[in-house]
Amino acid sequence: MIDTLDCDVLIVGGGPAGLSVASHLDPSVHSIILHQDAEIGRPVRTSGGTWERDMQALEIPKKHYQVIDQLDFFSDNAEARFAIANDRMAVLDVTGLYQYLASLSEYSNCNLLTGTKFVSVERQGDGFVSTARNREDGEFSINSNYVIDSSGWQSVVLESLGLGSKPNRTGVGIEYEFPRCSFPKNRAILFVGETALTGYGWVFPTPDNRLRLGIGVLHPDTDLSPRSVMDAFVAGGHAARYGVEILKDYKVNAGIIPSVAYDPELVFGNVIRVGDSANMASPTVGEGIRTAIEFGRLLGQELSNQINGDTRALQRYQATANKRFTRDYRFGLMMNQRIAQYSPNRWDKSVQRLARLSEVEMTAMVRSEFSVRMIVRTIWLNLKRKMGR
Ligand SMILES: Cc1cc2nc3c(=O)[nH]c(=O)nc-3n(C[C@H](O)[C@H](O)[C@H](O)COP(=O)(O)OP(=O)(O)OC[C@H]3O[C@@H](n4cnc5c(N)ncnc54)[C@H](O)[C@@H]3O)c2cc1C
C-alpha cells in the first residue's frame, strides 16, 4: 500500500506532452507521471495526422507513421486534390508512438503510475501535496516541488489550484477504425460541408493497415454530438464517395480538444502547463501531437536547467512557445471561428479557392503557419468581400 510518495516533479497526464517532459528531464531529477488510463496510448483519443518532416526532426522511428503523398479536400460539390511532392503528411500509429515515447524515460529517474488518477493539489510551503487514487492503493499523497499540467483539455492541475479552467469551446471528435481494404495507404482525405457541419471529417490510413474515418464538431457552436453526425454520414452512404468501405466490426475512438485562444501564460511559479492544457494544438485543424512532443521535451530540458540553478530557464520555455504560437494561433483561431459558420455553399467556394493554392500555401494553412503576406491577403480579401456586400 502506498501512503506518501516524494519527487521533484509531478507530471499529471501520460499523453505525448507529459511523456516527453519526463524523457527530457535530467537524470538527477526524480519525476512521477500520473496517468489515469490503465495503459499508455489506449484508448485512442486522437486521429494522428502529422507531417513527415516533424517526425524526422523529433527522431520518431519510421515504423510509427505512414507517409501520405496524396491529400484531397472535399466539400459537397467541390474538390481540391494535392499530390504532395515535398512536404509530405503522415499518419501515426498512436498507441505505438505513445508507448515508444514512454519507453524513452524507462531508464531515467521516472516512475510511471498508470491506472492512477490525479484528484487534487494544494500548496504546502514552497512545494505541493497532491492527492492521487488508484484501485490497489486507494487515495495517497505525493509531495513535489513542481507540478506539470499535461492533463490535456481537462487542465486538472490548473483547475484544482484555481489558476485556470476547462475551455468553454472544444472540438469533439469520433472516429471509426477498421481494416483499410483497398483504400490507398498513401492517401488522406479531409472533408467539409453538409456532412460535417461546423467541423470537418477525415479519412486517414494508419501504418498498421487500418483506416480511420472521423468527424469532429465544435461545441457549443453546435449542440449535436459527433456520434449523431457520424451516424448520419454513414447512413447517408457518403463514405462511398471517398472510396471507403466501412467494415462492420469497427473500433470507436473518441476525444476532446480545446478550441479557444492561445494563452501566453504557461508558467505559474512552480506549476507549468504544456500540450493541450496549454492549448498548443493548431487552431485550423486541431493538430497537437507534434507540438506536445516538441514543447514537452523543451520543458523537460528547461525545467532541469531551472532546478540546477538557471533561474531564467522556465521563462525561456514560455518565451519560446509564445514566439512560436501567439501570432499564428491568433490568426488561425480567427479563421477557425469564421469557417465554423460557413454554409455548405460557402464551403464549395472555399474548396474551389483551395484548389488554386500551391502545395506550400496549402501546407501552411493546414499547419497554422502563416506568412505576413498570407495574413494581409486574407484580411484584404475579407474587407473587399464585406465592402462588396
Ligand atoms: C478527435 C481528435 C482528433 C485529433 N486529431 C489530431 C491529429 O490528427 N493530429 C494531431 O497532431 N493532433 C490531433 N488531435 C489533438 C491531439 O490529440 C492533442 O493535441 C494531443 O493529444 C495533446 O497531447 P497532450 O499530452 O497535451 O494531451 P492528451 O493527449 O490529452 O493527454 C493527456 C492525458 O492525461 C490524462 N489525464 C487527464 N486527466 C487526468 C487525471 N485527473 N489523472 C491522470 N491522468 C489524467 C488523460 O487520460 C490523457 O491520456 C486530435 C484531438 C482529437 C480530440
Side-chain angles (χ1 to χ4, degrees):
M1 287 287 282
I2 302 175
D3 179 28
T4 304
L5 296 174
D6 295 287
C7 62
D8 301 308
V9 180
L10 177 66
I11 300 170
V12 178
L19 295 169
S20 303
V21 174
S23 68
H24 281 60
L25 283 170
D26 192 275
S28 63
V29 177
H30 177 212
S31 63
I32 293 177
I33 306 179
L34 295 181
H35 187 59
Q36 65 184 3
D37 304 321
E39 214 182 325
I40 292 292
R42 285 201 184 94
V44 171
R45 298 196 175 93
T46 181
S47 51
T50 190
W51 302 89
E52 184 183 31
R53 68 165 136 135
D54 298 279
M55 294 305 103
Q56 287 170 343
L58 294 167
E59 297 181 343
I60 303 300
K62 211 175 162 324
K63 65 176 180 185
H64 293 306
Y65 57 92
Q66 169 66 51
V67 173
I68 303 291
D69 54 21
Q70 179 71 41
L71 178 57
D72 298 335
F73 296 80
F74 287 85
S75 63
D76 299 335
N77 302 295
E79 51 190 73
R81 294 177 185 249
F82 291 88
I84 307 174
N86 302 310
D87 203 356
R88 299 192 296 178
M89 219 195 120
V91 177
L92 297 163
D93 151 27
V94 174
T95 305
L97 170 72
Y98 289 12
Q99 292 183 352
Y100 164 75
L101 295 174
S103 76
L104 296 180
S105 38
E106 248 165 35
Y107 302 103
S108 67
N109 199 352
C110 171
N111 293 97
L112 169 62
L113 303 182
T114 52
T116 307
K117 192 176 167 94
F118 164 93
V119 178
S120 62
V121 56
E122 283 174 21
R123 291 182 192 277
Q124 196 169 82
D126 289 341
F128 301 89
V129 184
S130 301
T131 303
R133 185 175 56 227
N134 65 25
R135 214 175 257 180
E136 303 80 58
D137 307 292
E139 277 199 359
F140 59 94
S141 302
I142 305 171
N143 300 318
S144 66
N145 299 325
Y146 292 85
V147 186
I148 307 300
D149 195 337
S150 49
S151 64
W153 72 277
Q154 303 191 65
S155 295
V156 289
V157 176
L158 293 192
E159 193 154 68
S160 178
L161 288 166
L163 296 170
S165 53
K166 291 188 177 49
N168 58 11
R169 185 170 181 259
T170 50
V172 188
I174 192 165
E175 211 178 50
Y176 292 177
E177 188 184 317
F178 42 86
R180 177 169 61 78
C181 298
S182 59
F183 189 90
K185 66 177 183 194
N186 63 331
R187 180 189 186 209
I189 292 174
L190 297 176
F191 58 92
V192 289
E194 188 74 47
T195 51
L197 294 173
T198 63
Y200 73 96
W202 58 90
V203 181
F204 286 171
T206 69
D208 52 348
N209 286 322
R210 296 179 69 79
L211 204 59
R212 298 202 162 132
L213 167 68
I215 288 185
V217 295
L218 287 161
H219 285 171
D221 300 29
T222 175
D223 50 14
L224 285 174
S225 75
R227 181 65 169 236
S228 62
V229 180
M230 180 65 122
D231 285 346
F233 178 88
V234 174
H238 299 291
R241 183 180 174 207
Y242 308 126
V244 173
E245 188 191 347
I246 304 172
L247 297 190
K248 265 206 177 122
D249 285 335
Y250 53 79
K251 199 175 133 223
V252 180
N253 306 322
I256 298 179
I257 184 173
S259 187
V260 291
Y262 173 75
D263 181 346
E265 200 172 0
L266 307 181
V267 179
F268 305 80
N270 289 5
V271 178
I272 309 121
R273 58 172 156 169
V274 63
D276 273 9
S277 84
N279 200 15
M280 287 180 173
S282 69
T284 41
V285 294
E287 187 210 340
I289 298 171
R290 64 185 160 90
T291 46
I293 300 172
E294 184 185 341
F295 282 87
R297 289 179 178 180
L298 179 67
L299 175 56
Q301 284 157 1
E302 293 293 24
L303 182 52
S304 305
N305 294 336
Q306 184 96 11
I307 291 170
N308 291 324
D310 178 351
T311 53
R312 300 190 56 79
L314 286 176
Q315 287 310 318
R316 248 188 342 257
Y317 157 74
Q318 179 170 284
T320 308
N322 287 344
K323 188 163 174 223
R324 172 78 164 271
F325 300 123
T326 306
R327 189 200 67 177
D328 282 354
Y329 279 23
R330 189 180 301 143
F331 183 69
L333 184 69
M334 206 178 80
M335 275 178 73
N336 166 298
Q337 286 166 329
R338 218 183 61 221
I339 63 184
Q341 312 297 325
Y342 275 13
S343 63
N345 185 30
R346 184 83 192 270
W347 266 123
D348 285 339
K349 289 193 181 123
S350 211
V351 170
Q352 282 159 6
R353 268 202 309 276
L354 184 68
R356 294 197 288 272
L357 294 187
S358 68
E359 180 193 320
V360 172
E361 288 169 322
M362 179 278 289
T363 309
M365 192 201 67
V366 178
R367 290 174 63 95
S368 292
E369 289 169 357
F370 306 105
S371 64
V372 174
R373 193 170 151 261
M374 271 180 96
I375 294 177
V376 171
R377 200 170 118 216
T378 309
I379 293 173
W380 169 239
L381 286 175
N382 254 337
L383 274 177
K384 249 175 59 173
R385 205 169 298 128
K386 275 190 188 148
M387 278 154 60
R389 256 193 262 142

